[in-house]
Amino acid sequence: MDRIKQFIFLSSGVFFLGCFTLFCGGRSSNNDNSELLAFLLQSPPGIQGACEKFLQTENLCVGNPANVNLICNGTLQNRIRNRIQPENLRSDDILEKYFRCFDNCNVEFNLASNCGNNRFSTNEAYRRAQRSLSEGGSLGVAALSWTNCYNRCRSVNGQTPPENSGLAESGTTFPEDWFQGE
């Protein structure tokens, strides 16, 4: 029953975020708005679906986007799974929850950075921008917002995960940044 409530809550949040973006997001064509709304409403279940959604959210802000099928072939999943602590709790369910929590942070970053009008060259440039707290202006604000969200998901620096993520009661942490070293 808890999983159904989470799904309904997340779906509602995504729907309202999509509506806000469509109606308050500035000038764009109806076709672009329809594509964005369709994207925001899709959320395939399981690790594969969570990984794909995570990368597709990034790709909304990238000029030369990553190939979702190539990246979500198990490599990215293993990279993120291997950073979950403790090791004995690295289940598929927990991995999916981390992907979905990180994806929510990416959505926040996309909105705060207004990246739809100023795309990053690659997914790596996008990720470096998220972690660049020294930037000024809207990018610095977006990076700070993303960092706070990311730290909540990871349960680091005294942060606790969002209640609707399912991570608070998982008994896990994510002490090491999965993008570290790229």
Side-chain angles (χ1 to χ4, degrees):
M1 185 61 119
D2 188 38
R3 189 126 174 110
I4 293 171
K5 287 179 185 176
Q6 285 178 340
F7 176 77
I8 292 170
F9 180 78
L10 287 173
S11 297
S12 299
V14 168
F15 176 75
F16 288 115
L17 180 63
C19 289
F20 175 79
T21 302
L22 289 174
F23 297 112
C24 301
R27 292 176 263 160
S28 63
S29 71
N30 286 338
N31 190 33
D32 288 345
N33 289 342
S34 298
E35 288 175 17
L36 178 61
L37 183 58
F39 167 75
L40 290 172
L41 292 176
Q42 75 182 25
S43 188
I47 296 169
Q48 185 68 23
C51 181
E52 289 173 4
K53 178 80 168 57
F54 171 80
L55 281 169
Q56 289 168 342
T57 300
E58 281 189 358
N59 284 347
L60 289 172
C61 290
V62 175
N64 186 21
N67 181 321
V68 173
N69 293 326
L70 184 64
I71 303 293
C72 286
N73 66 357
T75 305
L76 181 59
Q77 290 95 322
N78 288 333
R79 184 191 220 167
I80 292 178
R81 183 189 305 269
N82 290 338
R83 295 214 170 40
I84 297 170
Q85 295 298 327
E87 189 174 329
N88 66 322
L89 295 179
R90 294 177 178 168
S91 68
D92 289 353
D93 183 51
I94 297 297
L95 177 60
E96 180 181 351
K97 288 176 182 178
Y98 275 105
F99 266 119
R100 298 212 184 272
C101 195
F102 295 161
D103 180 58
N104 288 335
C105 298
N106 286 352
V107 169
E108 280 186 31
F109 180 79
N110 291 0
L111 292 172
S113 68
N114 195 22
C115 64
N117 294 330
N118 189 16
R119 294 180 184 262
F120 298 94
S121 58
T122 64
N123 292 69
E124 289 75 22
Y126 173 90
R127 293 172 191 158
R128 281 192 298 275
Q130 289 174 318
R131 292 156 174 83
S132 63
L133 293 174
S134 62
E135 291 290 325
S138 65
L139 188 55
V141 171
L144 180 61
S145 174
W146 178 86
T147 298
N148 288 333
C149 181
Y150 188 57
N151 286 343
R152 280 192 311 273
C153 291
R154 296 173 51 219
S155 300
V156 297
N157 299 331
Q159 301 283 340
T160 56
E163 287 183 32
N164 63 347
S165 70
L167 291 170
E169 55 276 349
S170 72
T172 65
T173 63
F174 202 95
E176 195 178 328
D177 184 358
W178 68 270
F179 187 64
Q180 186 176 356
E182 285 208 14

